[in-house]
């Protein structure tokens, strides 16, 4: 009786192997997967950490690997009549369909990070590579995908992001405490004047309300950065987001004698998650402030082409040596004594999810320019 043991079949002495197995072993490599012995294919099928699926041009399932039972919990026999979009949110379905149009030239290896609903109704993070395959004979096409569960990776990333966000909040606390103390001193003085019976009550009330609103803005933004990042995308006004993060970071800038200059321009909108793009802006502007070794200025400009929006953060600090610019964004690589290097890494990850990018340039005179480049919504 022939054994089913993988180890026994691949015995280096060649015992218990078929003649064809021995021939292949002598050649040193199998030419393609179809030439593999059935027991090896079965082992791969039962132990693969990736879900392989094939769908017809209408989205109906043609093949699912047995790993679907392990990764998503669905019995293979229950999935005979399903479509690929049955397991995804409408937003992810729309996002994927945008990449596979009838007139598309490049059909190969589109990579997506998407949530797929498992047997328990819980959405799990996956990395999905999809290709559109066209038959040479009939001209018909179908889709093949490889799906990998990246839940653990996403959880580790989210923990790292939360840690970095709390670190940022702590670093800003000293400047914010100083910024709030000034309005409180003013409020106390005006309250004492009102108690003394002064006549200019309406004027004082207005000043007091303005001071309270300043404190409210700063504390709201501080609470905002301490919250977990969301993933709710819609069209957002870029100028409003820049205004909010400047209000948050001004106290730290003032402590270092740094001015932040920017002017509100025409209303630019991008399709994004507000909390994530504000986190990007905070990371870049905060880095620019910390890069200053003396009194200086940071300029923020916003410009747009037909398809892209660019937010440039320009500082006049010491700049970044050319030989290390390419290393920025690597985990735990930093030019700061107390830095972790995670801020720029998180920034790049967020921009990639938004189909954007970060460009870093050395200024001609002094300092550096960080450009946040994001796609504009199509009409």
């Amino acid at each position: 009786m022939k054994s089913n043991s993988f180890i026994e079949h691949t015995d280096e002495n060649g015992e218990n192997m078929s003649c064809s197995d021995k021939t292949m072993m002598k050649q040193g490599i199998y030419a393609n997967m179809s030439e593999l012995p059935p027991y090896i294919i079965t082992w791969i099928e039962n132990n693969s950490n990736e879900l392989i699926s094939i769908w017809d041009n209408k989205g109906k399932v043609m093949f699912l690997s047995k790993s679907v039972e392990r990764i998503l919990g669905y019995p293979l026999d229950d999935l005979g009549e399903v479509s690929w979009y049955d397991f995804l949110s409408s937003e992810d379905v729309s996002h994927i369909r945008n990449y596979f149009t009838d007139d598309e030239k490049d059909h190969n290896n589109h990579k997506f990070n998407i949530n797929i609903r498992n047997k328990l109704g819980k959405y799990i993070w996956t990395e999905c590579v999809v290709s559109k395959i066209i038959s040479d004979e009939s001209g018909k096409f179908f889709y093949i995908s490889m799906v990998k569960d990246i839940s653990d990776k996403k959880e580790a990333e989210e923990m790292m992001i939360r840690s970095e966000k709390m670190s940022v909040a702590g670093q800003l606390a000293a400047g914010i405490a100083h910024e709030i103390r000034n309005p409180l001193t003013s409020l106390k003085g005006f309250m004492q004047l009102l108690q003394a019976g002064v006549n200019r009550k309406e004027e004082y009330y207005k000043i007091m309300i303005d001071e309270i609103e300043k404190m409210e803005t700063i504390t709201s933004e501080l609470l905002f950065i301490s919250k977990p990042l969301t993933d709710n995308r819609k069209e957002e006004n870029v100028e409003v987001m820049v205004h909010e993060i400047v209000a948050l970071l001004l106290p730290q800038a003032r402590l270092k004698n740094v001015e932040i200059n920017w002017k509100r321009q025409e209303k630019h909108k991008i399709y994004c998650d507000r909390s994530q793009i504000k986190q990007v802006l905070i990371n870049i502007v905060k880095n620019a402030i910390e890069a200053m070794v003396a009194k200086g200025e940071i300029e923020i400009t916003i410009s747009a082409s037909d398809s892209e929006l660019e937010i440039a953060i320009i500082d006049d600090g010491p700049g970044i040596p050319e030989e290390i610019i390419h290393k920025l964004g690597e985990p735990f690589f930093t030019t700061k004594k107390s830095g972790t290097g995670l801020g720029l890494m998180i920034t790049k990850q967020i921009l990639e999810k938004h189909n954007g990018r970060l460009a870093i340039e050395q200024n001609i005179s002094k300092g550096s320019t960080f450009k946040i480049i994001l796609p504009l919504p199509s009409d």
Side-chain angles (χ1 to χ4, degrees):
M1 182 175 177
K2 195 172 182 179
S3 170
N4 289 323
S5 167
F6 174 76
I7 295 175
E8 189 171 343
H9 272 294
T10 56
D11 186 278
E12 61 183 11
N13 296 320
E15 295 179 6
N16 297 317
M17 287 187 174
S18 68
C19 292
S20 60
D21 288 351
K22 291 179 182 179
T23 301
M24 289 296 182
M25 191 171 182
K26 287 177 182 178
Q27 292 175 351
I29 190 169
Y30 290 97
N32 54 60
M33 196 165 180
S34 64
E35 295 177 350
L36 288 170
Y39 56 84
I40 294 182
I41 295 175
T42 300
W43 187 92
I44 293 171
E45 172 80 358
N46 290 333
N47 293 277
S48 173
N49 289 323
E50 293 185 334
L51 163 60
I52 301 170
S53 62
I54 303 173
W55 313 84
D56 66 17
N57 60 347
K58 294 181 180 178
K60 294 294 182 182
V61 64
M62 295 172 63
F63 169 81
L64 285 171
S65 61
K66 192 174 176 61
S67 53
V68 69
E69 298 180 351
R70 186 168 59 259
I71 295 172
L72 298 179
Y74 296 103
L76 196 55
D77 294 340
D78 294 350
L79 300 173
E81 298 296 325
V82 299
S83 300
W84 66 271
Y85 44 80
D86 292 336
F87 305 102
L88 308 183
S89 68
S90 57
E91 184 178 297
D92 280 339
V93 170
S94 177
H95 178 58
I96 292 173
R97 279 179 168 156
N98 286 338
Y99 282 84
F100 294 98
T101 57
D102 292 336
D103 58 351
E104 179 196 16
K105 294 181 181 178
D106 179 17
H107 302 108
N108 294 321
N109 295 348
H110 289 296
K111 185 182 286 186
F112 308 95
N113 280 358
I114 55 174
N115 280 300
I116 299 180
R117 190 178 66 251
N118 66 13
K119 174 74 172 175
L120 300 175
K122 178 184 176 183
Y123 281 91
I124 64 170
W125 272 106
T126 65
E127 182 179 88
C128 179
V129 178
V130 185
S131 289
K132 182 178 178 181
I133 310 296
I134 300 176
S135 169
D136 293 334
E137 297 176 358
S138 65
K140 292 182 179 179
F141 61 86
F142 55 92
Y143 300 92
I144 183 166
S145 71
M146 297 186 70
V147 175
K148 181 166 61 176
D149 183 353
I150 58 168
S151 299
D152 291 344
K153 179 183 174 184
K154 293 296 295 185
E155 286 175 9
E157 284 180 1
E158 287 172 8
M159 285 180 64
M160 195 162 52
I161 290 170
R162 285 197 295 270
S163 174
E164 182 68 10
K165 283 164 70 71
M166 295 307 295
S167 174
V168 169
Q171 291 164 17
L172 297 178
I176 289 171
H178 187 269
E179 195 72 8
I180 289 176
R181 186 175 61 184
N182 291 338
L184 284 173
T185 302
S186 298
L187 288 171
K188 182 179 179 182
F190 286 123
M191 289 293 292
Q192 289 171 338
L193 289 172
L194 290 171
Q195 281 182 325
V198 295
N199 295 323
R200 299 163 60 185
K201 290 183 180 180
E202 291 303 319
E203 182 180 346
Y204 290 162
Y205 285 146
K206 183 180 183 306
I207 295 172
M208 291 168 71
I209 289 171
D210 288 343
E211 295 296 304
I212 290 170
E213 287 177 350
K214 285 180 187 177
M215 291 189 293
E216 186 178 38
T217 299
I218 294 169
T219 53
S220 295
E221 288 303 309
L222 185 62
L223 287 172
F224 173 85
I225 67 168
S226 64
K227 291 179 181 177
L229 292 182
T230 60
D231 194 16
N232 303 316
R233 301 192 188 192
K234 60 181 180 179
E235 285 197 359
E236 299 284 358
N237 187 302
V238 176
E239 278 77 14
V240 170
M241 289 191 287
V242 172
H243 174 75
E244 289 170 348
I245 69 101
V246 168
L248 175 67
L249 295 171
L250 264 177
Q252 188 187 21
R254 286 171 180 157
L255 283 180
K256 295 198 68 174
N257 291 320
V258 174
E259 293 183 20
I260 301 179
N261 299 321
W262 87 285
K263 293 181 181 178
R264 284 205 183 196
Q265 302 165 331
E266 57 184 290
K267 294 181 179 179
H268 293 103
K269 290 190 175 182
I270 55 173
Y271 184 75
C272 70
D273 177 88
R274 181 186 187 86
S275 73
Q276 293 187 25
I277 297 304
K278 284 180 71 173
Q279 186 66 47
V280 166
L281 290 166
I282 288 167
N283 289 347
I284 300 297
V285 177
K286 178 175 168 290
N287 280 353
I289 294 169
E290 293 172 347
M292 300 291 190
V293 293
K295 183 178 180 181
E297 293 184 2
I298 294 170
E299 183 181 1
I300 303 175
T301 64
I302 302 171
S303 58
S305 64
D306 292 338
S307 59
E308 291 184 329
L309 177 129
E310 178 183 290
I311 307 169
I313 294 95
I314 308 157
D315 68 67
D316 58 4
I320 303 166
E322 289 285 349
E323 62 269 18
I324 68 168
I325 282 181
H326 70 282
K327 291 186 177 181
L328 295 178
E330 293 180 6
F332 308 112
F333 178 84
T334 179
T335 58
K336 296 181 288 188
K337 289 181 179 179
S338 59
T340 63
L342 298 179
L344 277 182
M345 187 195 76
I346 292 165
T347 293
K348 286 189 171 184
Q349 287 178 348
I350 291 172
L351 291 177
E352 285 172 7
K353 290 176 188 174
H354 285 78
N355 298 314
R357 62 190 186 278
L358 180 67
I360 307 170
E361 299 174 0
Q362 188 74 288
N363 296 341
I364 295 174
S365 55
K366 61 176 180 176
S368 306
T369 297
F370 284 68
K371 294 180 179 178
I372 300 165
I373 302 164
L374 290 159
L376 288 168
S378 55
D379 295 333

